[in-house]
Amino acid sequence: MKTMLYFPFIALTMTRIVWAEEKAASAAHATADAITDQEFIARRNASRKNLPAPTHLPPQKSKFSLMNLSTFVGDGEHFAILPQGSVLYCPEPLATRILASPGGKLISFQEFLSRNRQWITHADVTSDQVSGKTPISDATLKAFEKNAQIVIATYQGAPITVLKGKSTASVPQP
Amino acid sequence: MKSLVLFIFTAGLLVQSAAAVDFIRQVQLIEDQTIVYDTPVAWETGEIRSQPVFGTGAIFQLYAYNDPAYSPYSILDAQAGSILSANVSLDSHLVDLDLLGIHLDITLGSDSTEDSLPNLVYEKTVGAYLPEATVTLSSEDTYVPIRTRADQPYGVSVAISRLPDADADVPETAPTSVRLAKSYKLYHPTLHVPSDNGSGQGVYGGAYELSRNGTFSIPTVYQELPAESPTRAIGEETHFVQVAVGPDKALATIGSATIQIWPVAVAKIEGIPEPAKFTGIPANLTMEVTDPYPQSQTYAQIYKGEPELGRSGAVITSSIIVLNDYAPPSEPVKLPLLDLDSLIDDDGIYTIEIVTVTPFNGGEPERIAYTSFELDRSVKVRSLATTLNP
């Protein structure tokens, strides 16, 4: 909210009095003309001890960026952000629902599940399954195939990566 | 590898409404793989429970939307720089990760525009063998979130700790140095926010490698935004510290701080004819100020005589602009210069100056525009005398 006010002179005087203490502490300052670009550049060069100005480079690409570590699932109108590797099962006819890039309006994972419960669900996994130490059982995978829904791995209710293959790390229990 | 267990008592931060789309992402670094876990965030303050931190470490990322419906100037409070502070106690194998103080000036769970993703607002990496870094910026303007003016220097202080000594018993993969770098974002000139599509953003060349613990300070840093006119630059600069993690040495941020940069105000006085001469009290003068500093008093003053820097004149009360806001006004402020007849006595040369008082220059005024004119009311009188004579 903007707070732009047009005060009478008295208010201006009061405000300047408030700043008087700060002014006393900086007696070396006086009214100055606003700096020009040339003056500023000279001052900045001097502060760099006349070393060359830094170059301007494209943004740094991060291995841990949202795009790199995410999978997107969409219903044509909305999409949800999922951790990479959280899709436990996706039937072939629904493969187009897994998006390479976001499309539509972002909604939360919970809301997306609620809106599209006919074709997407979630399955809680254990910490050993998350780390890949214990694979998802064949029986569980068969159940996924039978239901013919996209299945998202969740841990304590929120989507999580499930590593494929055995990892030497063990996930401690909370 | 020692495993670190992290417990924070959860209180009210987990999503209550299905509408929340902001979230904290925990990226667990394990050897050459990552486990990603997303926790929705629905409230502006509170605590959140993370998953246990194990492996090489974990990266915590806060993703949120800036909600234009709330305010075009919504960003995170500067306290966001301290929302994630980690104290590692190797003796107890506990990581105290404090997520308190997530002071978000945005409405969480706001609607997103089509195809848009939330912004990475903050990132912090923690781990048993990872160093810690705290970046602190300082400005003459004490406003929070921290900001300065395009022509003003600011201070940078970087505190590094937990880098291993040469003879420390740490895994081979433990980082022994950190990287200090700087990035920038230009803002839209009137909307005062970064571009949604990432244009006008980048990093500065010339990062520093630090391999010792301690506090390193640079007391005077000037902004280097790639603006056509450096004193009119608008944007932000972020100083961040990174460490290489994993076998492929990917860079992860362990500390950062951001400062906003607002332009130097410019002004003009309009209505002065060429040549600058009046035969009566000027009645149609106006002043226009573009980008007065968000905390400032700007006004026009008039005095008799040629321009003289530092001279106090009579304040033209119709011209006073007082600001105490987050950002400059999005449009130039145009005001009439009224009631000059109460401020002008004799004929002669008069000077009108526009001055601004900000937290800079020790709180003393800075002159941003001035002009002079001559008032000669006798010209009119001589004309009348001539016509009366037959």
Side-chain angles (χ1 to χ4, degrees):
Chain A
M1 185 74 70
K2 291 189 174 50
T3 53
M4 182 156 42
L5 305 168
Y6 303 96
F7 277 173
F9 177 64
I10 294 175
L12 175 65
T13 307
M14 289 171 66
T15 310
R16 294 199 67 181
I17 290 172
V18 167
W19 284 354
E21 292 174 355
E22 294 162 354
K23 283 161 53 178
S26 57
H29 294 282
T31 303
D33 270 325
I35 196 171
T36 63
D37 278 341
Q38 290 72 21
E39 291 165 341
F40 171 70
I41 290 168
R43 190 181 291 179
R44 188 169 61 184
N45 287 346
S47 78
R48 274 194 250 108
K49 308 280 190 286
N50 290 316
L51 288 172
T55 50
H56 299 100
L57 305 172
Q60 199 178 57
K61 288 194 190 311
S62 168
K63 180 185 172 184
F64 308 110
S65 69
L66 187 64
M67 290 298 291
N68 274 0
L69 295 183
S70 299
T71 295
F72 306 96
V73 60
D75 62 5
E77 189 183 342
H78 312 92
F79 74 96
I81 301 174
L82 302 172
Q84 67 174 15
S86 61
V87 179
L88 285 179
Y89 177 73
C90 179
E92 182 57 35
L94 296 176
T96 54
R97 306 292 178 122
I98 307 297
L99 311 173
S101 57
K105 178 180 164 181
L106 174 64
I107 57 177
S108 70
F109 172 65
Q110 284 75 16
E111 186 179 352
F112 193 89
L113 281 187
S114 176
R115 284 176 178 268
N116 299 289
R117 61 174 72 87
Q118 302 86 353
W119 54 267
I120 188 169
T121 185
H122 71 98
D124 284 334
V125 292
T126 66
S127 55
D128 281 351
Q129 287 171 326
V130 166
S131 68
K133 203 173 174 188
T134 305
I136 309 291
S137 69
D138 289 342
T140 304
L141 288 173
K142 278 200 168 67
F144 291 165
E145 286 175 21
K146 187 178 173 190
N147 291 336
Q149 291 178 301
I150 293 177
V151 181
I152 306 299
T154 53
Y155 188 74
Q156 296 180 341
I160 191 168
T161 302
V162 169
L163 295 180
K164 291 187 171 42
K166 198 169 172 181
S167 165
T168 55
S170 58
V171 177
Q173 294 295 325
Chain B
M1 180 80 65
K2 291 177 182 169
S3 65
L4 307 170
V5 180
L6 182 153
F7 294 107
I8 300 290
F9 184 74
T10 303
L13 196 62
L14 293 181
V15 60
Q16 302 299 313
S17 158
V21 293
D22 305 292
F23 60 98
I24 290 180
R25 168 164 284 186
Q26 182 173 347
V27 182
Q28 204 68 49
L29 309 168
I30 305 175
E31 296 162 355
D32 60 347
Q33 300 186 87
T34 53
I35 293 174
V36 179
Y37 183 76
D38 291 341
T39 304
V41 170
W43 303 102
E44 291 187 357
T45 62
E47 296 175 317
I48 193 167
R49 169 183 289 172
S50 80
Q51 292 303 312
V53 177
F54 57 96
T56 305
I59 302 172
F60 292 88
Q61 301 171 325
L62 172 60
Y63 286 98
Y65 277 103
N66 291 337
D67 180 5
Y70 177 76
S71 163
Y73 307 128
S74 293
I75 65 162
L76 283 193
D77 189 280
Q79 295 307 313
S82 60
I83 61 170
L84 293 174
S85 61
N87 297 308
V88 179
S89 167
L90 292 177
D91 292 335
S92 60
H93 298 189
L94 289 177
V95 174
D96 176 18
L97 190 65
D98 183 4
L99 284 165
L100 283 169
I102 303 176
H103 299 294
L104 299 174
D105 287 336
I106 61 173
T107 302
L108 296 181
S110 59
D111 290 336
S112 63
T113 56
E114 291 281 323
D115 297 350
S116 74
L117 292 171
N119 300 309
L120 174 62
V121 177
Y122 193 71
E123 180 177 282
K124 178 86 172 182
T125 305
V126 297
Y129 297 105
L130 296 183
E132 290 185 356
T134 302
V135 182
T136 308
L137 306 180
S138 57
S139 166
E140 271 196 80
D141 184 351
T142 57
Y143 187 76
V144 172
I146 188 170
R147 66 187 181 194
T148 189
R149 203 172 65 185
D151 63 323
Q152 296 293 316
Y154 61 93
V156 180
S157 176
V158 180
I160 307 292
S161 61
R162 301 190 61 238
L163 275 174
D165 296 329
D167 55 356
D169 178 24
V170 295
E172 273 186 24
T173 53
T176 55
S177 67
V178 301
R179 180 176 180 271
L180 173 62
K182 190 165 73 167
S183 64
Y184 67 90
K185 290 182 186 176
L186 293 176
Y187 289 177
H188 187 277
T190 55
L191 297 179
H192 298 149
V193 292
S195 165
D196 269 345
N197 64 8
S199 63
Q201 301 179 22
V203 295
Y204 295 105
Y208 296 97
E209 213 60 43
L210 301 174
S211 57
R212 287 188 296 122
N213 293 314
T215 299
F216 307 92
S217 298
I218 310 172
T220 303
V221 173
Y222 285 96
Q223 58 87 6
E224 306 268 7
L225 294 171
E228 201 172 312
S229 167
T231 59
R232 302 284 300 144
I234 309 179
E236 62 184 49
E237 291 187 332
T238 298
H239 294 254
F240 56 96
V241 183
Q242 294 176 310
V243 67
V245 295
D248 57 353
K249 302 296 180 192
L251 292 173
T253 302
I254 57 172
S256 69
T258 299
I259 186 166
Q260 289 190 300
I261 293 150
W262 301 112
V264 178
V266 293
K268 56 184 175 181
I269 300 162
E270 294 178 306
I272 306 287
E274 186 66 41
K277 196 165 182 176
F278 290 95
T279 57
I281 301 290
N284 295 311
L285 301 186
T286 59
M287 79 167 194
E288 183 177 290
V289 183
T290 303
D291 293 323
Y293 193 72
Q295 186 185 341
S296 64
Q297 299 169 336
T298 306
Y299 56 92
Q301 63 174 12
I302 186 169
Y303 53 81
K304 189 162 184 223
E306 297 288 347
E308 184 183 334
L309 181 66
R311 184 167 166 190
S312 286
V315 175
I316 303 172
T317 54
S318 64
S319 71
I320 299 170
I321 306 166
V322 178
L323 287 180
N324 185 13
D325 208 340
Y326 163 83
S330 55
E331 300 287 334
V333 181
K334 194 162 183 174
L335 293 171
L337 303 181
L338 302 175
D339 301 324
L340 295 181
D341 53 341
S342 62
L343 305 174
I344 291 176
D345 295 321
D346 310 323
D347 289 0
I349 303 292
Y350 283 86
T351 295
I352 296 178
E353 296 180 340
I354 302 176
V355 295
T356 188
V357 180
T358 68
F360 310 106
N361 195 39
E364 289 294 328
E366 291 170 285
R367 187 170 65 175
I368 56 177
Y370 63 93
T371 190
S372 298
F373 63 88
E374 182 185 1
L375 176 64
D376 184 359
R377 288 171 283 196
S378 64
V379 172
K380 198 178 191 178
V381 172
R382 281 199 294 275
S383 303
L384 275 173
T386 302
T387 55
L388 283 174
N389 289 330

